[in-house]
Amino acid sequence: MESQNLADFPRPVHHRIPNFKGSYVACQNIKDLEAFARTQEVKVDPDKPLEGVRLLALQSKKTLLVPTPRLRTGLFNKIIPPPGATKDVLRRCATSEGVRNHSAPVGLDSRVLVDLVVVGSVAVSEKGWRIGKGEGYADLEYAMMVSMGAVGPGTPVVTIVHDCQVVNIPETLLEDHDLTVDYILTPTRVITTGCERPKPAGITWSKISWEMLGKIPILRSLRCREEQAGKDVTLRDEPRHLPATPSIVRKPRGLPPPELGSGQVEDAPSNTVYVGNLPRNARVSELKTALGVLGVAPLRLTWQGPQRRAFLHYRDAASAQRALLCLQGFHLGANALKVARARQQRASDLVGGHAEEPHPDHRPSIADP
């Protein structure tokens, strides 16, 4: 694509989903698909060659969901154009600016039902077999949507590529967790693949490493849920004779251990989680939003902004344990949060008596999520 000058900005197109000349023309072909006409909620990857589809979705007043970059803070962002947005504003909303300035995160507990999935590709075959950048994010995003109940076996998947990207792909390159496509749109063709190879039926935990788990907080939330549902969530580099989630939280590789402040004890079966190292300018609404996205919203939240800390109060110790695991290594803004079990509250603390650290030394304000 580079040597024949088929590539388009950003260049060079190596190590990315390549943009190409004619991508907007290829995107326009989606209007010919009945699947797009009847869809209400569409998930479109943030790749540059898919920008035209994101714009069409917004112009058609469809709900547009875009994956968060590298899934660092959640799975989806919903693009919300400002009221009375002009075509130029919608065009900006369809770019990376839209995710930054005109979007809201979609929580794990949100009722999302995606009617159509649009992904980028490096190469694709007419049989519907697809190759991405090799990092597995599109496959993982789809598997996570299955786990959330956001997509089903009949949800169509579309990819948009240049004609030269349609090639023969040996079936031996495919694995069970690889995503296949139902439609291929190029500047000159609309290809219905008729692919019968099953799409991922959920997250294949045996393909997930501790390192990846440590980088994606929402993946940890889903793992906790599936483990509680009795599913095998053993990771690729985890010995199978060990429980997937031990009684004392084991950190994924590369994550700092939970830090215990003065007055905190590691083995207390508390329902409260201590969160420290909050950004100086953090707002309680930002923390609430992040907790909702991860699916670990507490029953109530004690906010101590001046001390750059908060306490999350859960229904039971198991819920607090799940939140503790999911928040390991999580960033709010540029700050890596410090999380740990808090000391159990004494009766005098609950009625406003003096509290030992890490509880506030004055009566806290309670913010209900």
Side-chain angles (χ1 to χ4, degrees), residues 124-129 167-169 171 180-181 184 191 193-197:
V124 66
S125 77
E126 292 191 14
K127 293 181 178 180
W129 302 341
V167 298
N168 291 324
I169 298 176
E171 189 172 6
T180 57
V181 303
I184 303 169
I191 303 170
T193 67
C195 184
E196 296 182 356
R197 187 183 179 93

Side-chain angles (χ1 to χ4, degrees), residues 8 37 42 47 54 58 66 69 104-105 112 163 190 219 234 355:
D8 206 348
V42 56
D47 308 305
R54 295 194 293 273
L58 293 174
V66 179
V112 176
D163 290 276
V190 175
L219 187 60
T234 305

Side-chain angles (χ1 to χ4, degrees), residues 99-112:
V99 176
R100 288 195 305 269
N101 302 328
H102 302 288
S103 72
V106 177
L108 193 58
D109 292 319
S110 301
R111 294 184 177 180
V112 176

Side-chain angles (χ1 to χ4, degrees), residues 56-133:
L56 283 171
L58 293 174
Q59 290 175 331
S60 304
K61 301 189 183 305
K62 301 180 187 295
T63 298
L64 174 60
L65 302 174
V66 179
T68 58
R70 293 188 172 271
L71 306 177
R72 284 188 293 263
T73 59
L75 181 55
F76 298 128
N77 274 46
K78 178 181 177 181
I79 306 299
I80 307 174
T86 63
K87 185 174 181 178
D88 286 340
V89 172
L90 290 179
R91 192 179 298 277
R92 290 198 298 273
C93 289
T95 67
S96 57
E97 179 184 337
V99 176
R100 288 195 305 269
N101 302 328
H102 302 288
S103 72
V106 177
L108 193 58
D109 292 319
S110 301
R111 294 184 177 180
V112 176
L113 187 60
V114 176
D115 304 308
L116 184 69
V117 175
V118 184
V119 298
S121 300
V122 170
V124 66
S125 77
E126 292 191 14
K127 293 181 178 180
W129 302 341
R130 170 191 172 275
I131 293 176
K133 297 192 299 290

